[in-house]
mmCIF file with all atom_site columns, all heavy atoms in Angstrom:
data_model
loop_
_atom_site.group_PDB
_atom_site.id
_atom_site.type_symbol
_atom_site.label_atom_id
_atom_site.label_alt_id
_atom_site.label_comp_id
_atom_site.label_asym_id
_atom_site.label_entity_id
_atom_site.label_seq_id
_atom_site.pdbx_PDB_ins_code
_atom_site.Cartn_x
_atom_site.Cartn_y
_atom_site.Cartn_z
_atom_site.occupancy
_atom_site.B_iso_or_equiv
_atom_site.pdbx_formal_charge
_atom_site.auth_seq_id
_atom_site.auth_comp_id
_atom_site.auth_asym_id
_atom_site.auth_atom_id
_atom_site.pdbx_PDB_model_num
ATOM 1   N N   . PRO X 1 91  ? 3.122  5.599  -15.967 1.00 92.00 ? 91  PRO X N   1
ATOM 2   C CA  . PRO X 1 91  ? 2.639  5.785  -17.343 1.00 92.00 ? 91  PRO X CA  1
ATOM 3   C C   . PRO X 1 91  ? 2.929  7.189  -17.881 1.00 92.00 ? 91  PRO X C   1
ATOM 4   O O   . PRO X 1 91  ? 3.272  7.352  -19.054 1.00 92.00 ? 91  PRO X O   1
ATOM 5   C CB  . PRO X 1 91  ? 1.126  5.557  -17.243 1.00 92.00 ? 91  PRO X CB  1
ATOM 6   C CG  . PRO X 1 91  ? 0.926  4.782  -15.990 1.00 92.00 ? 91  PRO X CG  1
ATOM 7   C CD  . PRO X 1 91  ? 2.030  5.204  -15.069 1.00 92.00 ? 91  PRO X CD  1
ATOM 8   N N   . LEU X 1 92  ? 2.838  8.181  -17.037 1.00 90.00 ? 92  LEU X N   1
ATOM 9   C CA  . LEU X 1 92  ? 3.102  9.559  -17.464 1.00 90.00 ? 92  LEU X CA  1
ATOM 10  C C   . LEU X 1 92  ? 4.550  9.719  -17.912 1.00 90.00 ? 92  LEU X C   1
ATOM 11  O O   . LEU X 1 92  ? 4.826  10.339 -18.934 1.00 90.00 ? 92  LEU X O   1
ATOM 12  C CB  . LEU X 1 92  ? 2.780  10.533 -16.329 1.00 90.00 ? 92  LEU X CB  1
ATOM 13  C CG  . LEU X 1 92  ? 3.084  12.002 -16.601 1.00 90.00 ? 92  LEU X CG  1
ATOM 14  C CD1 . LEU X 1 92  ? 2.271  12.518 -17.781 1.00 90.00 ? 92  LEU X CD1 1
ATOM 15  C CD2 . LEU X 1 92  ? 2.817  12.826 -15.351 1.00 90.00 ? 92  LEU X CD2 1
ATOM 16  N N   . TRP X 1 93  ? 5.479  9.158  -17.157 1.00 91.00 ? 93  TRP X N   1
ATOM 17  C CA  . TRP X 1 93  ? 6.897  9.254  -17.532 1.00 91.00 ? 93  TRP X CA  1
ATOM 18  C C   . TRP X 1 93  ? 7.174  8.493  -18.815 1.00 91.00 ? 93  TRP X C   1
ATOM 19  O O   . TRP X 1 93  ? 7.901  8.966  -19.683 1.00 91.00 ? 93  TRP X O   1
ATOM 20  C CB  . TRP X 1 93  ? 7.780  8.770  -16.383 1.00 91.00 ? 93  TRP X CB  1
ATOM 21  C CG  . TRP X 1 93  ? 7.862  9.811  -15.332 1.00 91.00 ? 93  TRP X CG  1
ATOM 22  C CD1 . TRP X 1 93  ? 7.164  9.859  -14.159 1.00 91.00 ? 93  TRP X CD1 1
ATOM 23  C CD2 . TRP X 1 93  ? 8.632  11.015 -15.384 1.00 91.00 ? 93  TRP X CD2 1
ATOM 24  N NE1 . TRP X 1 93  ? 7.471  11.015 -13.478 1.00 91.00 ? 93  TRP X NE1 1
ATOM 25  C CE2 . TRP X 1 93  ? 8.377  11.734 -14.208 1.00 91.00 ? 93  TRP X CE2 1
ATOM 26  C CE3 . TRP X 1 93  ? 9.520  11.546 -16.313 1.00 91.00 ? 93  TRP X CE3 1
ATOM 27  C CZ2 . TRP X 1 93  ? 8.968  12.958 -13.930 1.00 91.00 ? 93  TRP X CZ2 1
ATOM 28  C CZ3 . TRP X 1 93  ? 10.124 12.766 -16.042 1.00 91.00 ? 93  TRP X CZ3 1
ATOM 29  C CH2 . TRP X 1 93  ? 9.835  13.454 -14.869 1.00 91.00 ? 93  TRP X CH2 1
ATOM 30  N N   . ALA X 1 94  ? 6.598  7.316  -18.967 1.00 91.00 ? 94  ALA X N   1
ATOM 31  C CA  . ALA X 1 94  ? 6.797  6.545  -20.194 1.00 91.00 ? 94  ALA X CA  1
ATOM 32  C C   . ALA X 1 94  ? 6.282  7.317  -21.406 1.00 91.00 ? 94  ALA X C   1
ATOM 33  O O   . ALA X 1 94  ? 6.932  7.358  -22.456 1.00 91.00 ? 94  ALA X O   1
ATOM 34  C CB  . ALA X 1 94  ? 6.105  5.183  -20.074 1.00 91.00 ? 94  ALA X CB  1
ATOM 35  N N   . ILE X 1 95  ? 5.145  7.957  -21.262 1.00 91.00 ? 95  ILE X N   1
ATOM 36  C CA  . ILE X 1 95  ? 4.559  8.736  -22.360 1.00 91.00 ? 95  ILE X CA  1
ATOM 37  C C   . ILE X 1 95  ? 5.456  9.913  -22.722 1.00 91.00 ? 95  ILE X C   1
ATOM 38  O O   . ILE X 1 95  ? 5.680  10.200 -23.904 1.00 91.00 ? 95  ILE X O   1
ATOM 39  C CB  . ILE X 1 95  ? 3.145  9.216  -21.982 1.00 91.00 ? 95  ILE X CB  1
ATOM 40  C CG1 . ILE X 1 95  ? 2.194  8.031  -21.907 1.00 91.00 ? 95  ILE X CG1 1
ATOM 41  C CG2 . ILE X 1 95  ? 2.636  10.264 -22.966 1.00 91.00 ? 95  ILE X CG2 1
ATOM 42  C CD1 . ILE X 1 95  ? 0.924  8.307  -21.127 1.00 91.00 ? 95  ILE X CD1 1
ATOM 43  N N   . GLN X 1 96  ? 5.995  10.590 -21.730 1.00 88.00 ? 96  GLN X N   1
ATOM 44  C CA  . GLN X 1 96  ? 6.857  11.734 -22.020 1.00 88.00 ? 96  GLN X CA  1
ATOM 45  C C   . GLN X 1 96  ? 8.078  11.321 -22.831 1.00 88.00 ? 96  GLN X C   1
ATOM 46  O O   . GLN X 1 96  ? 8.465  12.008 -23.785 1.00 88.00 ? 96  GLN X O   1
ATOM 47  C CB  . GLN X 1 96  ? 7.286  12.424 -20.730 1.00 88.00 ? 96  GLN X CB  1
ATOM 48  C CG  . GLN X 1 96  ? 6.137  13.162 -20.076 1.00 88.00 ? 96  GLN X CG  1
ATOM 49  C CD  . GLN X 1 96  ? 6.575  13.869 -18.831 1.00 88.00 ? 96  GLN X CD  1
ATOM 50  O OE1 . GLN X 1 96  ? 7.247  14.890 -18.912 1.00 88.00 ? 96  GLN X OE1 1
ATOM 51  N NE2 . GLN X 1 96  ? 6.215  13.320 -17.685 1.00 88.00 ? 96  GLN X NE2 1
ATOM 52  N N   . PHE X 1 97  ? 8.677  10.188 -22.482 1.00 89.00 ? 97  PHE X N   1
ATOM 53  C CA  . PHE X 1 97  ? 9.832  9.726  -23.241 1.00 89.00 ? 97  PHE X CA  1
ATOM 54  C C   . PHE X 1 97  ? 9.419  9.247  -24.627 1.00 89.00 ? 97  PHE X C   1
ATOM 55  O O   . PHE X 1 97  ? 10.156 9.428  -25.594 1.00 89.00 ? 97  PHE X O   1
ATOM 56  C CB  . PHE X 1 97  ? 10.602 8.659  -22.463 1.00 89.00 ? 97  PHE X CB  1
ATOM 57  C CG  . PHE X 1 97  ? 11.401 9.251  -21.333 1.00 89.00 ? 97  PHE X CG  1
ATOM 58  C CD1 . PHE X 1 97  ? 10.982 9.126  -20.028 1.00 89.00 ? 97  PHE X CD1 1
ATOM 59  C CD2 . PHE X 1 97  ? 12.558 9.969  -21.589 1.00 89.00 ? 97  PHE X CD2 1
ATOM 60  C CE1 . PHE X 1 97  ? 11.706 9.690  -18.991 1.00 89.00 ? 97  PHE X CE1 1
ATOM 61  C CE2 . PHE X 1 97  ? 13.288 10.550 -20.561 1.00 89.00 ? 97  PHE X CE2 1
ATOM 62  C CZ  . PHE X 1 97  ? 12.861 10.413 -19.260 1.00 89.00 ? 97  PHE X CZ  1
ATOM 63  N N   . GLU X 1 98  ? 8.246  8.655  -24.742 1.00 88.00 ? 98  GLU X N   1
ATOM 64  C CA  . GLU X 1 98  ? 7.725  8.260  -26.055 1.00 88.00 ? 98  GLU X CA  1
ATOM 65  C C   . GLU X 1 98  ? 7.585  9.489  -26.957 1.00 88.00 ? 98  GLU X C   1
ATOM 66  O O   . GLU X 1 98  ? 7.941  9.459  -28.137 1.00 88.00 ? 98  GLU X O   1
ATOM 67  C CB  . GLU X 1 98  ? 6.355  7.593  -25.884 1.00 88.00 ? 98  GLU X CB  1
ATOM 68  C CG  . GLU X 1 98  ? 5.626  7.322  -27.189 1.00 88.00 ? 98  GLU X CG  1
ATOM 69  C CD  . GLU X 1 98  ? 4.153  6.947  -27.014 1.00 88.00 ? 98  GLU X CD  1
ATOM 70  O OE1 . GLU X 1 98  ? 3.700  6.701  -25.878 1.00 88.00 ? 98  GLU X OE1 1
ATOM 71  O OE2 . GLU X 1 98  ? 3.457  6.914  -28.034 1.00 88.00 ? 98  GLU X OE2 1
ATOM 72  N N   . LEU X 1 99  ? 7.107  10.566 -26.391 1.00 86.00 ? 99  LEU X N   1
ATOM 73  C CA  . LEU X 1 99  ? 6.837  11.762 -27.186 1.00 86.00 ? 99  LEU X CA  1
ATOM 74  C C   . LEU X 1 99  ? 8.101  12.474 -27.663 1.00 86.00 ? 99  LEU X C   1
ATOM 75  O O   . LEU X 1 99  ? 8.072  13.156 -28.684 1.00 86.00 ? 99  LEU X O   1
ATOM 76  C CB  . LEU X 1 99  ? 5.962  12.720 -26.392 1.00 86.00 ? 99  LEU X CB  1
ATOM 77  C CG  . LEU X 1 99  ? 4.544  12.231 -26.199 1.00 86.00 ? 99  LEU X CG  1
ATOM 78  C CD1 . LEU X 1 99  ? 3.755  13.199 -25.339 1.00 86.00 ? 99  LEU X CD1 1
ATOM 79  C CD2 . LEU X 1 99  ? 3.855  12.022 -27.526 1.00 86.00 ? 99  LEU X CD2 1
ATOM 80  N N   . ILE X 1 100 ? 9.176  12.323 -26.949 1.00 86.00 ? 100 ILE X N   1
ATOM 81  C CA  . ILE X 1 100 ? 10.424 12.972 -27.369 1.00 86.00 ? 100 ILE X CA  1
ATOM 82  C C   . ILE X 1 100 ? 10.784 12.536 -28.788 1.00 86.00 ? 100 ILE X C   1
ATOM 83  O O   . ILE X 1 100 ? 11.212 13.347 -29.604 1.00 86.00 ? 100 ILE X O   1
ATOM 84  C CB  . ILE X 1 100 ? 11.555 12.677 -26.366 1.00 86.00 ? 100 ILE X CB  1
ATOM 85  C CG1 . ILE X 1 100 ? 11.269 13.422 -25.057 1.00 86.00 ? 100 ILE X CG1 1
ATOM 86  C CG2 . ILE X 1 100 ? 12.917 13.071 -26.942 1.00 86.00 ? 100 ILE X CG2 1
ATOM 87  C CD1 . ILE X 1 100 ? 12.179 13.040 -23.901 1.00 86.00 ? 100 ILE X CD1 1
ATOM 88  N N   . ALA X 1 101 ? 10.556 11.269 -29.104 1.00 82.00 ? 101 ALA X N   1
ATOM 89  C CA  . ALA X 1 101 ? 10.863 10.761 -30.444 1.00 82.00 ? 101 ALA X CA  1
ATOM 90  C C   . ALA X 1 101 ? 9.956  11.363 -31.516 1.00 82.00 ? 101 ALA X C   1
ATOM 91  O O   . ALA X 1 101 ? 10.340 11.448 -32.680 1.00 82.00 ? 101 ALA X O   1
ATOM 92  C CB  . ALA X 1 101 ? 10.737 9.241  -30.456 1.00 82.00 ? 101 ALA X CB  1
ATOM 93  N N   . HIS X 1 102 ? 8.781  11.810 -31.143 1.00 79.00 ? 102 HIS X N   1
ATOM 94  C CA  . HIS X 1 102 ? 7.822  12.348 -32.116 1.00 79.00 ? 102 HIS X CA  1
ATOM 95  C C   . HIS X 1 102 ? 7.970  13.855 -32.350 1.00 79.00 ? 102 HIS X C   1
ATOM 96  O O   . HIS X 1 102 ? 7.374  14.399 -33.274 1.00 79.00 ? 102 HIS X O   1
ATOM 97  C CB  . HIS X 1 102 ? 6.381  12.062 -31.665 1.00 79.00 ? 102 HIS X CB  1
ATOM 98  C CG  . HIS X 1 102 ? 6.052  10.617 -31.650 1.00 79.00 ? 102 HIS X CG  1
ATOM 99  N ND1 . HIS X 1 102 ? 5.806  9.894  -32.786 1.00 79.00 ? 102 HIS X ND1 1
ATOM 100 C CD2 . HIS X 1 102 ? 5.955  9.737  -30.615 1.00 79.00 ? 102 HIS X CD2 1
ATOM 101 C CE1 . HIS X 1 102 ? 5.566  8.641  -32.459 1.00 79.00 ? 102 HIS X CE1 1
ATOM 102 N NE2 . HIS X 1 102 ? 5.652  8.520  -31.157 1.00 79.00 ? 102 HIS X NE2 1
ATOM 103 N N   . MET X 1 103 ? 8.735  14.515 -31.535 1.00 82.00 ? 103 MET X N   1
ATOM 104 C CA  . MET X 1 103 ? 8.793  15.977 -31.595 1.00 82.00 ? 103 MET X CA  1
ATOM 105 C C   . MET X 1 103 ? 9.400  16.516 -32.889 1.00 82.00 ? 103 MET X C   1
ATOM 106 O O   . MET X 1 103 ? 9.025  17.590 -33.323 1.00 82.00 ? 103 MET X O   1
ATOM 107 C CB  . MET X 1 103 ? 9.546  16.533 -30.396 1.00 82.00 ? 103 MET X CB  1
ATOM 108 C CG  . MET X 1 103 ? 8.707  16.484 -29.168 1.00 82.00 ? 103 MET X CG  1
ATOM 109 S SD  . MET X 1 103 ? 9.537  17.317 -27.840 1.00 82.00 ? 103 MET X SD  1
ATOM 110 C CE  . MET X 1 103 ? 8.696  16.573 -26.489 1.00 82.00 ? 103 MET X CE  1
ATOM 111 N N   . GLU X 1 104 ? 10.310 15.789 -33.470 1.00 82.00 ? 104 GLU X N   1
ATOM 112 C CA  . GLU X 1 104 ? 10.915 16.258 -34.723 1.00 82.00 ? 104 GLU X CA  1
ATOM 113 C C   . GLU X 1 104 ? 9.887  16.394 -35.832 1.00 82.00 ? 104 GLU X C   1
ATOM 114 O O   . GLU X 1 104 ? 10.011 17.245 -36.695 1.00 82.00 ? 104 GLU X O   1
ATOM 115 C CB  . GLU X 1 104 ? 12.035 15.306 -35.165 1.00 82.00 ? 104 GLU X CB  1
ATOM 116 C CG  . GLU X 1 104 ? 13.283 15.396 -34.327 1.00 82.00 ? 104 GLU X CG  1
ATOM 117 C CD  . GLU X 1 104 ? 13.892 16.793 -34.308 1.00 82.00 ? 104 GLU X CD  1
ATOM 118 O OE1 . GLU X 1 104 ? 14.024 17.420 -35.375 1.00 82.00 ? 104 GLU X OE1 1
ATOM 119 O OE2 . GLU X 1 104 ? 14.238 17.265 -33.205 1.00 82.00 ? 104 GLU X OE2 1
ATOM 120 N N   . ARG X 1 105 ? 8.873  15.542 -35.791 1.00 83.00 ? 105 ARG X N   1
ATOM 121 C CA  . ARG X 1 105 ? 7.849  15.544 -36.842 1.00 83.00 ? 105 ARG X CA  1
ATOM 122 C C   . ARG X 1 105 ? 6.563  16.245 -36.432 1.00 83.00 ? 105 ARG X C   1
ATOM 123 O O   . ARG X 1 105 ? 5.625  16.318 -37.207 1.00 83.00 ? 105 ARG X O   1
ATOM 124 C CB  . ARG X 1 105 ? 7.552  14.104 -37.252 1.00 83.00 ? 105 ARG X CB  1
ATOM 125 C CG  . ARG X 1 105 ? 8.737  13.396 -37.893 1.00 83.00 ? 105 ARG X CG  1
ATOM 126 C CD  . ARG X 1 105 ? 8.443  11.952 -38.234 1.00 83.00 ? 105 ARG X CD  1
ATOM 127 N NE  . ARG X 1 105 ? 8.034  11.114 -37.120 1.00 83.00 ? 105 ARG X NE  1
ATOM 128 C CZ  . ARG X 1 105 ? 8.865  10.550 -36.241 1.00 83.00 ? 105 ARG X CZ  1
ATOM 129 N NH1 . ARG X 1 105 ? 10.144 10.754 -36.336 1.00 83.00 ? 105 ARG X NH1 1
ATOM 130 N NH2 . ARG X 1 105 ? 8.413  9.786  -35.276 1.00 83.00 ? 105 ARG X NH2 1
ATOM 131 N N   . THR X 1 106 ? 6.536  16.752 -35.209 1.00 80.00 ? 106 THR X N   1
ATOM 132 C CA  . THR X 1 106 ? 5.312  17.369 -34.701 1.00 80.00 ? 106 THR X CA  1
ATOM 133 C C   . THR X 1 106 ? 5.633  18.701 -34.028 1.00 80.00 ? 106 THR X C   1
ATOM 134 O O   . THR X 1 106 ? 5.787  18.768 -32.806 1.00 80.00 ? 106 THR X O   1
ATOM 135 C CB  . THR X 1 106 ? 4.624  16.411 -33.697 1.00 80.00 ? 106 THR X CB  1
ATOM 136 O OG1 . THR X 1 106 ? 4.633  15.087 -34.220 1.00 80.00 ? 106 THR X OG1 1
ATOM 137 C CG2 . THR X 1 106 ? 3.196  16.828 -33.417 1.00 80.00 ? 106 THR X CG2 1
ATOM 138 N N   . PRO X 1 107 ? 5.742  19.772 -34.830 1.00 83.00 ? 107 PRO X N   1
ATOM 139 C CA  . PRO X 1 107 ? 6.113  21.076 -34.259 1.00 83.00 ? 107 PRO X CA  1
ATOM 140 C C   . PRO X 1 107 ? 5.175  21.564 -33.148 1.00 83.00 ? 107 PRO X C   1
ATOM 141 O O   . PRO X 1 107 ? 5.634  22.150 -32.172 1.00 83.00 ? 107 PRO X O   1
ATOM 142 C CB  . PRO X 1 107 ? 6.072  22.020 -35.462 1.00 83.00 ? 107 PRO X CB  1
ATOM 143 C CG  . PRO X 1 107 ? 6.218  21.137 -36.658 1.00 83.00 ? 107 PRO X CG  1
ATOM 144 C CD  . PRO X 1 107 ? 5.607  19.822 -36.275 1.00 83.00 ? 107 PRO X CD  1
ATOM 145 N N   . LYS X 1 108 ? 3.868  21.311 -33.272 1.00 78.00 ? 108 LYS X N   1
ATOM 146 C CA  . LYS X 1 108 ? 2.940  21.759 -32.225 1.00 78.00 ? 108 LYS X CA  1
ATOM 147 C C   . LYS X 1 108 ? 3.220  21.041 -30.907 1.00 78.00 ? 108 LYS X C   1
ATOM 148 O O   . LYS X 1 108 ? 3.133  21.637 -29.842 1.00 78.00 ? 108 LYS X O   1
ATOM 149 C CB  . LYS X 1 108 ? 1.485  21.553 -32.652 1.00 78.00 ? 108 LYS X CB  1
ATOM 150 C CG  . LYS X 1 108 ? 0.986  22.599 -33.614 1.00 78.00 ? 108 LYS X CG  1
ATOM 151 C CD  . LYS X 1 108 ? -0.518 22.481 -33.728 1.00 78.00 ? 108 LYS X CD  1
ATOM 152 C CE  . LYS X 1 108 ? -1.063 23.572 -34.589 1.00 78.00 ? 108 LYS X CE  1
ATOM 153 N NZ  . LYS X 1 108 ? -1.383 24.775 -33.853 1.00 78.00 ? 108 LYS X NZ  1
ATOM 154 N N   . LEU X 1 109 ? 3.557  19.777 -30.994 1.00 78.00 ? 109 LEU X N   1
ATOM 155 C CA  . LEU X 1 109 ? 3.895  19.017 -29.798 1.00 78.00 ? 109 LEU X CA  1
ATOM 156 C C   . LEU X 1 109 ? 5.161  19.588 -29.168 1.00 78.00 ? 109 LEU X C   1
ATOM 157 O O   . LEU X 1 109 ? 5.238  19.781 -27.960 1.00 78.00 ? 109 LEU X O   1
ATOM 158 C CB  . LEU X 1 109 ? 4.089  17.541 -30.145 1.00 78.00 ? 109 LEU X CB  1
ATOM 159 C CG  . LEU X 1 109 ? 4.407  16.604 -28.996 1.00 78.00 ? 109 LEU X CG  1
ATOM 160 C CD1 . LEU X 1 109 ? 3.274  16.595 -27.976 1.00 78.00 ? 109 LEU X CD1 1
ATOM 161 C CD2 . LEU X 1 109 ? 4.647  15.193 -29.535 1.00 78.00 ? 109 LEU X CD2 1
ATOM 162 N N   . ARG X 1 110 ? 6.148  19.898 -29.991 1.00 84.00 ? 110 ARG X N   1
ATOM 163 C CA  . ARG X 1 110 ? 7.386  20.496 -29.489 1.00 84.00 ? 110 ARG X CA  1
ATOM 164 C C   . ARG X 1 110 ? 7.085  21.823 -28.795 1.00 84.00 ? 110 ARG X C   1
ATOM 165 O O   . ARG X 1 110 ? 7.588  22.080 -27.702 1.00 84.00 ? 110 ARG X O   1
ATOM 166 C CB  . ARG X 1 110 ? 8.388  20.720 -30.620 1.00 84.00 ? 110 ARG X CB  1
ATOM 167 C CG  . ARG X 1 110 ? 9.671  21.405 -30.140 1.00 84.00 ? 110 ARG X CG  1
ATOM 168 C CD  . ARG X 1 110 ? 10.633 21.668 -31.279 1.00 84.00 ? 110 ARG X CD  1
ATOM 169 N NE  . ARG X 1 110 ? 11.199 20.446 -31.772 1.00 84.00 ? 110 ARG X NE  1
ATOM 170 C CZ  . ARG X 1 110 ? 12.254 19.841 -31.246 1.00 84.00 ? 110 ARG X CZ  1
ATOM 171 N NH1 . ARG X 1 110 ? 12.837 20.351 -30.192 1.00 84.00 ? 110 ARG X NH1 1
ATOM 172 N NH2 . ARG X 1 110 ? 12.717 18.737 -31.767 1.00 84.00 ? 110 ARG X NH2 1
ATOM 173 N N   . GLU X 1 111 ? 6.262  22.650 -29.420 1.00 84.00 ? 111 GLU X N   1
ATOM 174 C CA  . GLU X 1 111 ? 5.901  23.939 -28.813 1.00 84.00 ? 111 GLU X CA  1
ATOM 175 C C   . GLU X 1 111 ? 5.247  23.738 -27.446 1.00 84.00 ? 111 GLU X C   1
ATOM 176 O O   . GLU X 1 111 ? 5.558  24.446 -26.493 1.00 84.00 ? 111 GLU X O   1
ATOM 177 C CB  . GLU X 1 111 ? 4.945  24.706 -29.733 1.00 84.00 ? 111 GLU X CB  1
ATOM 178 C CG  . GLU X 1 111 ? 5.575  25.237 -30.996 1.00 84.00 ? 111 GLU X CG  1
ATOM 179 C CD  . GLU X 1 111 ? 4.541  25.796 -31.965 1.00 84.00 ? 111 GLU X CD  1
ATOM 180 O OE1 . GLU X 1 111 ? 3.429  26.161 -31.522 1.00 84.00 ? 111 GLU X OE1 1
ATOM 181 O OE2 . GLU X 1 111 ? 4.851  25.869 -33.167 1.00 84.00 ? 111 GLU X OE2 1
ATOM 182 N N   . SER X 1 112 ? 4.349  22.764 -27.364 1.00 78.00 ? 112 SER X N   1
ATOM 183 C CA  . SER X 1 112 ? 3.687  22.478 -26.088 1.00 78.00 ? 112 SER X CA  1
ATOM 184 C C   . SER X 1 112 ? 4.702  22.053 -25.039 1.00 78.00 ? 112 SER X C   1
ATOM 185 O O   . SER X 1 112 ? 4.642  22.494 -23.891 1.00 78.00 ? 112 SER X O   1
ATOM 186 C CB  . SER X 1 112 ? 2.656  21.361 -26.247 1.00 78.00 ? 112 SER X CB  1
ATOM 187 O OG  . SER X 1 112 ? 1.601  21.756 -27.072 1.00 78.00 ? 112 SER X OG  1
ATOM 188 N N   . PHE X 1 113 ? 5.642  21.206 -25.443 1.00 80.00 ? 113 PHE X N   1
ATOM 189 C CA  . PHE X 1 113 ? 6.644  20.721 -24.504 1.00 80.00 ? 113 PHE X CA  1
ATOM 190 C C   . PHE X 1 113 ? 7.609  21.821 -24.083 1.00 80.00 ? 113 PHE X C   1
ATOM 191 O O   . PHE X 1 113 ? 8.038  21.862 -22.927 1.00 80.00 ? 113 PHE X O   1
ATOM 192 C CB  . PHE X 1 113 ? 7.418  19.541 -25.104 1.00 80.00 ? 113 PHE X CB  1
ATOM 193 C CG  . PHE X 1 113 ? 6.996  18.221 -24.540 1.00 80.00 ? 113 PHE X CG  1
ATOM 194 C CD1 . PHE X 1 113 ? 5.766  17.679 -24.854 1.00 80.00 ? 113 PHE X CD1 1
ATOM 195 C CD2 . PHE X 1 113 ? 7.827  17.517 -23.696 1.00 80.00 ? 113 PHE X CD2 1
ATOM 196 C CE1 . PHE X 1 113 ? 5.367  16.469 -24.345 1.00 80.00 ? 113 PHE X CE1 1
ATOM 197 C CE2 . PHE X 1 113 ? 7.445  16.294 -23.168 1.00 80.00 ? 113 PHE X CE2 1
ATOM 198 C CZ  . PHE X 1 113 ? 6.210  15.770 -23.487 1.00 80.00 ? 113 PHE X CZ  1
#
Side-chain angles (χ1 to χ4, degrees):
L92 177 61
W93 283 100
I95 291 161
Q96 289 182 74
F97 285 105
E98 172 193 350
L99 290 177
I100 290 170
H102 294 284
M103 284 187 201
E104 287 302 314
R105 296 177 302 279
T106 316
K108 282 192 176 271
L109 182 61
R110 177 182 290 276
E111 289 171 22
S112 294
F113 256 71

